[in-house]
Amino acid sequence: SRVPANASNFSRIVIAAGGPLWPCLMGSLLILASSERRVWRLSLVALAILVSLSTAVWVHEGVATYMLPTASIGLVLLAWKGSPSLVRFMLQFIGMLAILSMFMNWNYLFSDEANIGGQIIKSDTGVMAENSIFPHWAWALILMAIATAMVGVSLKLALNHSSPQGR
């Protein structure tokens, strides 16, 4: 981990929570963006830029070095040429995929350690447990509750804004 040695326990917990919660936050923001027509295309371009930047910084080998930039180009083309209904649907679809990514990693979320590249390391919830009084499984439940709340609020706001009663 690249956390400074003198970082507080709270800082370590927040950094570790960011791993599982970041995709949920981004997914929720995409769903919220889908409720405001004037930001649909800009949101897809911003997502393409974020994917490209994260690929350049963190991905250094494998299929992802080609697939992620290709996906970014696809997002820009969709923003540029896609029909409004397709652009909105893709914002919602990608948002839900991002949110579901945390829930699909159920085993990792509820484990204290993880085997990554043949090396055993503390999982995010394991790091959170190490720096608090709660066990890793409690942190997994807390993260799931936070993610569920984020999804619920974003869907409620987006659906309320796009319905005739919500305007």
Side-chain angles (χ1 to χ4, degrees), residues 18-35:
L21 289 180
W22 182 253
C24 294
L25 175 63
M26 294 308 296
S28 294
L29 291 174
L30 289 173
I31 289 170
L32 282 173
S34 76
S35 69

Side-chain angles (χ1 to χ4, degrees), residues 125-144:
T125 54
V127 170
M128 295 168 81
E130 202 172 63
N131 289 282
S132 71
I133 61 171
F134 298 115
H136 68 277
W137 57 265
W139 281 113
L141 291 172
I142 291 167
L143 291 176
M144 288 177 64

Side-chain angles (χ1 to χ4, degrees), residues 100-111:
L100 289 173
S101 70
M102 184 182 102
F103 294 98
M104 297 299 290
N105 289 316
W106 195 267
N107 290 339
Y108 173 75
L109 202 58
F110 279 94
S111 64

Side-chain angles (χ1 to χ4, degrees), residues 2-161:
R2 294 189 176 114
V3 178
N6 64 347
S8 70
N9 288 347
F10 179 76
S11 295
R12 292 174 190 277
I13 290 169
V14 169
I15 291 168
L21 289 180
W22 182 253
C24 294
L25 175 63
M26 294 308 296
S28 294
L29 291 174
L30 289 173
I31 289 170
L32 282 173
S34 76
S35 69
E36 191 61 51
R37 186 180 184 121
R38 64 180 182 193
V39 298
W40 290 355
R41 296 180 192 281
L42 179 62
S43 297
L44 284 177
V45 171
L47 178 61
I49 291 168
L50 282 173
V51 169
S52 297
L53 288 174
S54 63
T55 302
V57 172
W58 288 295
V59 180
H60 303 291
E61 60 187 49
V63 175
T65 57
Y66 304 105
M67 291 306 297
L68 292 173
T70 302
S72 294
I73 292 168
L75 289 171
V76 170
L77 288 173
L78 176 63
W80 181 38
K81 291 286 190 182
S83 69
S85 61
L86 180 61
V87 170
R88 182 178 190 200
F89 171 77
M90 288 307 292
L91 279 172
Q92 294 168 342
F93 182 70
I94 295 168
M96 285 307 298
L97 287 177
I99 290 164
L100 289 173
S101 70
M102 184 182 102
F103 294 98
M104 297 299 290
N105 289 316
W106 195 267
N107 290 339
Y108 173 75
L109 202 58
F110 279 94
S111 64
D112 186 47
E113 297 177 330
N115 184 340
I116 300 182
Q119 184 179 357
I120 303 295
I121 63 167
K122 282 286 184 189
S123 67
D124 290 317
T125 54
V127 170
M128 295 168 81
E130 202 172 63
N131 289 282
S132 71
I133 61 171
F134 298 115
H136 68 277
W137 57 265
W139 281 113
L141 291 172
I142 291 167
L143 291 176
M144 288 177 64
I146 292 169
T148 301
M150 281 195 290
V151 173
V153 168
S154 66
L155 285 171
K156 180 175 174 39
L157 292 173
L159 294 173
N160 191 37
H161 186 268

